[in-house]
Amino acid sequence: MSPPAPDDCLARNTWICGEYLSTRRHILLDAVLEHLQLTAVPVALALALAVPLAVVARRWSWAAGPVLAVTTILYTIPSLAMFSLLLPVYGLSASLVVAGLVLYSLTLLVRNILAGLRAVPEETRQAARGMGYGPVRLLLTVELPLALPAAMAGLRIATVSAVSLVTIGAIVGFGGLGNLIYAGMNTYFKAQVLTASVLCVVIAVAADLLLLGAQRLLTPWTRAAGP
């Protein structure tokens, strides 16, 4: 006759275990904070690079092809290969993960920002120029605001993708919740794998909803135009 199963869910190694949450909350909190940082920093840097690249591609049509081609090629490089290529430059550090995610995020951001800029009606540009708007003022006060819905859509996709891709950083020790998933898979620690995975999903959903709310606040005219 087999001995009775232990009452402790950690000892039984169950997928859902409240004891794991209570005894390892500090580890989980540190992993969540690292995950958030490794998501926010590269997306912000990619956005800072994507805006001028999209503007250049919009201003000079000859530049659109090379800009889109390079960013698309970067996006097709497998994550493990990307980290290997960047390893001699950044070493085993968080900067390696950040740099890789910046390159991956560029494609999504550049394409959406450029699509938004191209969608601005030409008559709107002409009207602004007739009112004395110079190129910089036209860009900042007319083109970029009207391109904001498309840009925010790209930002949402890039952010959710980054939340997922951060976990790959576990191979170099900087993967946020991915570190817990990777360690849990190696030891078959069910509660740790499930908890860290669920937290990744929660972060992705929360980030998407937060950006969606910001988009609605920044583009009130799109709500007015809705049904």
Side-chain angles (χ1 to χ4, degrees):
M1 183 176 180
S2 60
D7 293 332
D8 188 353
C9 60
L10 286 176
R12 288 184 284 115
N13 193 27
T14 59
W15 286 103
I16 301 176
C17 181
E19 187 71 16
Y20 174 79
L21 294 174
S22 61
T23 58
R24 289 164 173 80
R25 59 182 180 274
H26 296 300
I27 295 176
L28 289 170
L29 179 60
D30 289 342
V32 167
L33 292 177
E34 182 181 77
H35 206 101
L36 291 173
Q37 183 179 11
L38 290 173
T39 299
V41 172
V43 171
L45 291 174
L47 183 62
L49 292 173
V51 172
L53 285 175
V55 170
V56 167
R58 175 65 184 87
R59 285 280 186 263
W60 296 282
S61 57
W62 60 265
V67 167
L68 293 176
V70 170
T71 54
T72 300
I73 290 172
L74 290 173
Y75 195 76
T76 62
I77 300 175
S79 55
L80 293 179
M82 177 72 80
F83 287 164
S84 297
L85 292 172
L86 295 174
L87 184 61
V89 179
Y90 296 100
L92 296 175
S93 66
S95 299
L96 173 65
V97 180
V98 170
L101 292 181
V102 167
L103 297 178
Y104 280 129
S105 300
L106 274 178
T107 300
L108 299 170
L109 292 171
V110 169
R111 284 187 175 275
N112 279 270
I113 296 171
L114 180 57
L117 291 172
R118 285 174 170 173
V120 176
E122 185 58 32
E123 56 268 24
T124 301
R125 293 191 178 92
Q126 294 296 340
R129 293 190 186 101
M131 296 172 63
Y133 282 44
V136 175
R137 187 181 178 191
L138 176 64
L139 174 66
L140 296 178
T141 63
V142 177
E143 294 179 312
L144 285 179
L146 291 178
L148 197 55
M152 289 298 294
L155 181 60
R156 289 169 59 194
I157 297 172
T159 301
V160 171
S161 298
V163 171
S164 175
L165 288 171
V166 164
T167 59
I168 304 298
I171 62 174
V172 294
F174 295 92
L177 291 164
N179 293 339
L180 299 182
I181 295 173
Y182 184 73
M185 291 176 63
N186 285 337
T187 58
Y188 200 57
F189 193 173
K190 297 178 181 177
Q192 180 162 297
V193 173
L194 180 61
T195 302
S197 299
V198 169
L199 286 174
C200 284
V201 174
V202 170
I203 290 174
V205 172
D208 187 57
L209 291 176
L210 182 63
L211 290 172
L212 178 60
Q215 177 181 340
R216 291 177 63 84
L217 288 174
L218 293 172
T219 58
W221 64 88
T222 59
R223 301 199 304 271

